Amino acid sequence: MATILLGAQWGDEGKGKVVDHLSAKADLVVRFQGGNNAGHSLWVGGKKTVLHLIPSGILHSRTRCLIGEGVVLDPQVLFHEISGLKQAGVFQDERERILVSERAHLILPVLKEVDLIRENSSRGTSGHIGTTGRGIGPAYEAKARRVGIRVIDLYSDDATLLGKLDRLHDAFAHHFDPDTLNEIRVRTWALIPGFRRSLEPLMVDSTALLKHAHDSGQEVLFEGAQGVMLDLDHGTYPYVTSSFTTAPSAGIGAAFPKILRSSRVIGVAKVYLTRVGSGDFPTEMRGDHDPDEVRIGEAIRKAGGEFGATTGRPRRIGWQDLVALRHAVEVGGIDEIALMKGDVLCGLDEMGGVFKVATAYEGADGTRSDRFPARAEILSKLKPVYENFPIWKHAHPDDPAFATLIARIEDFIGVPVRFVGFGPDREQILER
Ligand code: GDP
Ligand code: IMO
Ligand code: MG
């Protein structure tokens, strides 16, 4: 049986925590897209682990973790994460726990440099994406341009690999002066022997692995990164990431799609909204409709610890947006929701006892719509139409106020809220 878990908003919904919780029953946990732009925080017994690349099932000793071919893999980040987990006593031998698809594309130094150069040169313009600066966009670009380097390519003979590396570097040469590019070429070549040595024992034919898992009835959990609203096709383009974050992506980025035929898809959503990087969202607490919102947003950021797990950037805060969530359910292929972090708002005086939920948007000409628009430029100009809900005492389905909120969410988006998170720890989640 397969389960796919996706972010249903703009990332950081609490996916890592839910994956860690569900992994108790999983034989295999699979990342199928994104790279170390992700930051998934897990709390177990008061101890925090942050993972960027290794799937969030790793803390369960019998679960194996696969990095699928849809992922863009920075080997230096992988080795750093492995050594941190070893030091923490999570495993002794990574070969027993971590597998890497031979077809996954590598993030090499030139791709990280290009990401940073573009970010710095576009600052203050509408072309600034506010990426995590980890080389994700350029890596997918190199892949689509057919100049990318895959894990398996490391094991070509030196002359063949050098030719491939030249094609990659040449494709991005216009960003650099010749001396700088040459220094990057030399630095990259010096990394290759270490990459070859460390990746070879982890490298697998992921299709064969997943076929075996399917044929032998294993429980497989597919772990999405980012969120549906950051999807390259269905998110707030161009302020999105460079991979596909919807459920069908799992059958491409970890290719044995037959295993997904009877899968269930869980979308993780926070009770409120957050976003990092550029790009608007209609319910952001910017204070233009209500001056108190800025203060409320700051209080939520502080209470919820809303700072990026990858870059440390403060996350932008907003009210719940059911128009966006229903869009995510539809395009993501989501069957049920895990609703997280309702506990953060309990007892928060700044809320004034009221929680707002958008169920439509009003344009400048007064027309109303409850469909999420395709044009990102207009998002900050739309006026959300809110329904008010009383703040709950406990983020628990037995709390009447929280139950009312859950019922409205389910009614609007058309799928059930199956899980409720009420704290960061592994155990602080219940299944309805
Ligand atoms: P991810 O990227 O989707 O895995 O989410 P992040 O780990 O980046 O951010 C979610 C944050 O919220 C982390 O610090 C989690 O420990 C925390 N968290 C997750 N679920 C809950 C919850 O139900 N309540 C509270 N208070 N914190 C949670
Ligand atoms: P997790 O898995 C939140 C955002 C960046 C930026 C845009 C593009 O922890 O939810 P990229 O580096 O991917 O080219 O940046 O996407 N972004 C995330 N936001 N959580 C993430 O991952 C993100 N990964 C990328 O902030 O706006
Ligand atoms: Mg995160």
Side-chain angles (χ1 to χ4, degrees), residues 5 9 17-18 37 39 61 71 82 119 147 150 156 175 180 188 206 245 261 274 310 312 317 340 374-375 401 409 424:
L5 187 132
Q9 296 163 332
K17 177 203 156 107
V18 185
N37 46 351
S61 58
V71 171
I82 286 174
E119 280 295 295
V147 294
R150 301 169 307 160
S156 303
H175 287 290
T180 307
T188 303
S206 65
T245 56
R261 270 193 200 148
T274 65
T310 298
I317 312 288
M340 314 302 286
R375 285 170 63 204
I409 293 174

Short mmCIF file of all heavy atoms in Angstrom, two decimals, residues 5 9 17-18 37 39 61 71 82 119 147 150 156 175 180 188 206 245 261 274 310 312 317 340 374-375 401 409 424:
data_model
loop_
_atom_site.label_atom_id
_atom_site.label_comp_id
_atom_site.label_asym_id
_atom_site.label_seq_id
_atom_site.Cartn_x
_atom_site.Cartn_y
_atom_site.Cartn_z
N LEU A 5 2.34 11.95 0.61
CA LEU A 5 2.12 13.08 1.50
C LEU A 5 2.65 14.35 0.84
O LEU A 5 3.79 14.38 0.40
CB LEU A 5 2.84 12.81 2.82
CG LEU A 5 2.55 13.83 3.90
CD1 LEU A 5 2.21 13.13 5.19
CD2 LEU A 5 3.73 14.76 4.07
N GLN A 9 0.02 23.90 0.97
CA GLN A 9 0.07 25.37 0.94
C GLN A 9 1.38 25.81 0.27
O GLN A 9 1.72 25.30 -0.79
CB GLN A 9 -0.09 25.91 2.37
CG GLN A 9 -1.48 25.57 2.95
CD GLN A 9 -1.55 25.70 4.45
OE1 GLN A 9 -0.56 25.56 5.16
NE2 GLN A 9 -2.75 25.95 4.97
N LYS A 17 6.98 16.32 10.25
CA LYS A 17 6.40 15.74 11.45
C LYS A 17 5.41 14.62 11.11
O LYS A 17 5.40 13.56 11.73
CB LYS A 17 5.70 16.83 12.26
CG LYS A 17 5.01 16.30 13.49
CD LYS A 17 3.91 17.25 13.91
CE LYS A 17 2.90 16.49 14.72
NZ LYS A 17 2.96 16.80 16.13
N VAL A 18 4.56 14.85 10.12
CA VAL A 18 3.55 13.84 9.77
C VAL A 18 4.24 12.61 9.15
O VAL A 18 3.87 11.47 9.45
CB VAL A 18 2.47 14.41 8.80
CG1 VAL A 18 1.38 13.39 8.57
CG2 VAL A 18 1.87 15.69 9.37
N ASN A 37 16.38 22.51 -0.78
CA ASN A 37 15.58 23.70 -0.49
C ASN A 37 14.60 23.38 0.64
O ASN A 37 14.14 24.27 1.35
CB ASN A 37 14.82 24.20 -1.74
CG ASN A 37 14.13 23.10 -2.53
OD1 ASN A 37 14.31 21.92 -2.28
ND2 ASN A 37 13.33 23.49 -3.50
N GLY A 39 13.26 21.99 4.26
CA GLY A 39 13.74 21.92 5.63
C GLY A 39 12.62 21.33 6.46
O GLY A 39 11.57 21.94 6.61
N SER A 61 14.08 2.98 13.02
CA SER A 61 15.24 2.17 12.65
C SER A 61 14.97 1.11 11.58
O SER A 61 15.88 0.70 10.88
CB SER A 61 15.83 1.51 13.90
OG SER A 61 14.83 0.72 14.50
N VAL A 71 14.48 13.96 -7.57
CA VAL A 71 15.16 14.87 -6.64
C VAL A 71 16.42 15.41 -7.30
O VAL A 71 17.08 14.72 -8.07
CB VAL A 71 15.53 14.10 -5.35
CG1 VAL A 71 16.42 14.93 -4.42
CG2 VAL A 71 14.27 13.66 -4.62
N ILE A 82 24.25 12.79 6.54
CA ILE A 82 24.56 11.42 6.98
C ILE A 82 25.46 11.48 8.20
O ILE A 82 25.23 10.78 9.20
CB ILE A 82 25.22 10.62 5.83
CG1 ILE A 82 24.17 10.26 4.78
CG2 ILE A 82 25.91 9.36 6.37
CD1 ILE A 82 24.73 9.58 3.52
N GLU A 119 19.80 35.64 -7.97
CA GLU A 119 19.07 36.22 -6.84
C GLU A 119 19.59 37.61 -6.52
O GLU A 119 18.83 38.54 -6.34
CB GLU A 119 19.22 35.32 -5.59
CG GLU A 119 18.30 34.13 -5.60
CD GLU A 119 16.84 34.54 -5.52
OE1 GLU A 119 16.42 35.09 -4.50
OE2 GLU A 119 16.10 34.32 -6.50
N VAL A 147 21.95 18.97 -20.14
CA VAL A 147 23.38 19.09 -19.81
C VAL A 147 23.63 18.72 -18.35
O VAL A 147 24.71 18.96 -17.83
CB VAL A 147 23.91 20.52 -20.09
CG1 VAL A 147 23.87 20.83 -21.59
CG2 VAL A 147 23.15 21.58 -19.30
N ARG A 150 24.05 13.17 -13.81
CA ARG A 150 23.30 12.30 -12.92
C ARG A 150 24.26 11.48 -12.06
O ARG A 150 25.46 11.39 -12.37
CB ARG A 150 22.41 11.36 -13.74
CG ARG A 150 21.41 12.11 -14.62
CD ARG A 150 20.72 11.18 -15.61
NE ARG A 150 21.71 10.43 -16.37
CZ ARG A 150 21.45 9.29 -17.03
NH1 ARG A 150 20.23 8.79 -17.02
NH2 ARG A 150 22.40 8.68 -17.70
N SER A 156 31.12 7.07 -15.30
CA SER A 156 31.69 7.01 -16.66
C SER A 156 33.20 7.15 -16.52
O SER A 156 33.70 7.58 -15.48
CB SER A 156 31.20 8.19 -17.49
OG SER A 156 29.80 8.21 -17.53
N HIS A 175 27.35 33.63 -17.26
CA HIS A 175 27.21 34.25 -15.94
C HIS A 175 28.56 34.61 -15.31
O HIS A 175 28.59 35.26 -14.26
CB HIS A 175 26.48 33.30 -14.98
CG HIS A 175 25.02 33.17 -15.25
ND1 HIS A 175 24.13 34.19 -15.01
CD2 HIS A 175 24.29 32.15 -15.77
CE1 HIS A 175 22.91 33.80 -15.33
NE2 HIS A 175 22.98 32.58 -15.80
N THR A 180 36.91 32.90 -13.29
CA THR A 180 36.03 32.38 -12.24
C THR A 180 35.46 31.03 -12.66
O THR A 180 35.43 30.07 -11.89
CB THR A 180 34.87 33.37 -11.97
OG1 THR A 180 35.43 34.65 -11.71
CG2 THR A 180 34.01 32.94 -10.81
N THR A 188 35.22 21.70 -8.96
CA THR A 188 34.23 20.63 -9.14
C THR A 188 34.93 19.30 -9.42
O THR A 188 34.58 18.26 -8.84
CB THR A 188 33.28 21.00 -10.31
OG1 THR A 188 32.67 22.25 -10.00
CG2 THR A 188 32.21 19.95 -10.52
N SER A 206 16.09 2.44 -8.82
CA SER A 206 14.95 2.69 -7.93
C SER A 206 13.68 2.00 -8.43
O SER A 206 12.81 1.64 -7.65
CB SER A 206 14.72 4.19 -7.77
OG SER A 206 14.34 4.72 -9.00
N THR A 245 5.00 19.45 -7.43
CA THR A 245 4.75 19.09 -6.03
C THR A 245 3.40 18.41 -5.84
O THR A 245 2.93 18.28 -4.71
CB THR A 245 4.80 20.37 -5.17
OG1 THR A 245 3.85 21.29 -5.71
CG2 THR A 245 6.18 21.02 -5.20
N ARG A 261 -1.38 3.15 -7.81
CA ARG A 261 -2.76 3.00 -8.30
C ARG A 261 -3.79 3.00 -7.19
O ARG A 261 -4.89 3.51 -7.36
CB ARG A 261 -2.89 1.73 -9.12
CG ARG A 261 -2.59 2.04 -10.55
CD ARG A 261 -2.98 0.95 -11.49
NE ARG A 261 -2.23 1.14 -12.71
CZ ARG A 261 -1.82 0.18 -13.50
NH1 ARG A 261 -2.11 -1.06 -13.21
NH2 ARG A 261 -1.14 0.45 -14.58
N THR A 274 1.55 30.37 5.92
CA THR A 274 2.86 31.03 5.90
C THR A 274 3.45 30.89 4.51
O THR A 274 3.09 30.01 3.74
CB THR A 274 3.86 30.42 6.91
OG1 THR A 274 4.15 29.07 6.54
CG2 THR A 274 3.34 30.48 8.32
N THR A 310 15.49 26.20 6.58
CA THR A 310 16.63 26.13 5.68
C THR A 310 17.43 27.43 5.69
O THR A 310 18.65 27.42 5.81
CB THR A 310 16.14 25.80 4.24
OG1 THR A 310 15.51 24.52 4.29
CG2 THR A 310 17.30 25.73 3.25
N GLY A 312 16.45 30.38 7.62
CA GLY A 312 16.25 31.21 8.82
C GLY A 312 15.43 32.46 8.55
O GLY A 312 15.23 33.28 9.45
N ILE A 317 3.06 35.70 7.28
CA ILE A 317 1.92 35.04 7.92
C ILE A 317 0.60 35.51 7.30
O ILE A 317 0.47 36.68 6.94
CB ILE A 317 1.88 35.38 9.44
CG1 ILE A 317 3.27 35.20 10.09
CG2 ILE A 317 0.81 34.57 10.17
CD1 ILE A 317 3.75 33.79 10.26
N MET A 340 -2.52 21.22 10.86
CA MET A 340 -1.45 21.36 11.84
C MET A 340 -1.48 22.74 12.52
O MET A 340 -1.97 23.71 11.97
CB MET A 340 -0.09 21.20 11.16
CG MET A 340 0.01 20.02 10.20
SD MET A 340 -0.35 18.44 10.95
CE MET A 340 1.14 18.18 11.89
N ALA A 374 -4.91 32.46 -11.97
CA ALA A 374 -3.63 32.02 -12.54
C ALA A 374 -2.60 33.14 -12.57
O ALA A 374 -1.42 32.87 -12.74
CB ALA A 374 -3.86 31.48 -13.95
N ARG A 375 -3.04 34.40 -12.40
CA ARG A 375 -2.09 35.53 -12.50
C ARG A 375 -1.59 35.93 -11.13
O ARG A 375 -2.33 36.44 -10.30
CB ARG A 375 -2.78 36.74 -13.16
CG ARG A 375 -2.95 36.57 -14.66
CD ARG A 375 -3.82 37.65 -15.24
NE ARG A 375 -3.21 38.96 -15.07
CZ ARG A 375 -3.90 40.09 -15.07
NH1 ARG A 375 -5.20 40.06 -15.19
NH2 ARG A 375 -3.30 41.24 -14.93
N ALA A 401 -15.42 24.86 19.28
CA ALA A 401 -15.00 25.90 18.33
C ALA A 401 -14.11 25.31 17.25
O ALA A 401 -14.24 25.63 16.06
CB ALA A 401 -14.27 27.03 19.08
N ILE A 409 -14.16 23.76 6.96
CA ILE A 409 -13.07 23.44 6.03
C ILE A 409 -13.48 22.24 5.16
O ILE A 409 -13.38 22.27 3.93
CB ILE A 409 -11.75 23.14 6.79
CG1 ILE A 409 -11.22 24.40 7.48
CG2 ILE A 409 -10.69 22.55 5.85
CD1 ILE A 409 -10.01 24.19 8.37
N PRO A 424 4.53 20.16 18.33
CA PRO A 424 5.58 19.72 17.40
C PRO A 424 6.04 18.27 17.56
O PRO A 424 6.61 17.70 16.64
CB PRO A 424 6.73 20.69 17.70
CG PRO A 424 6.46 21.25 19.05
CD PRO A 424 4.98 21.19 19.27
#
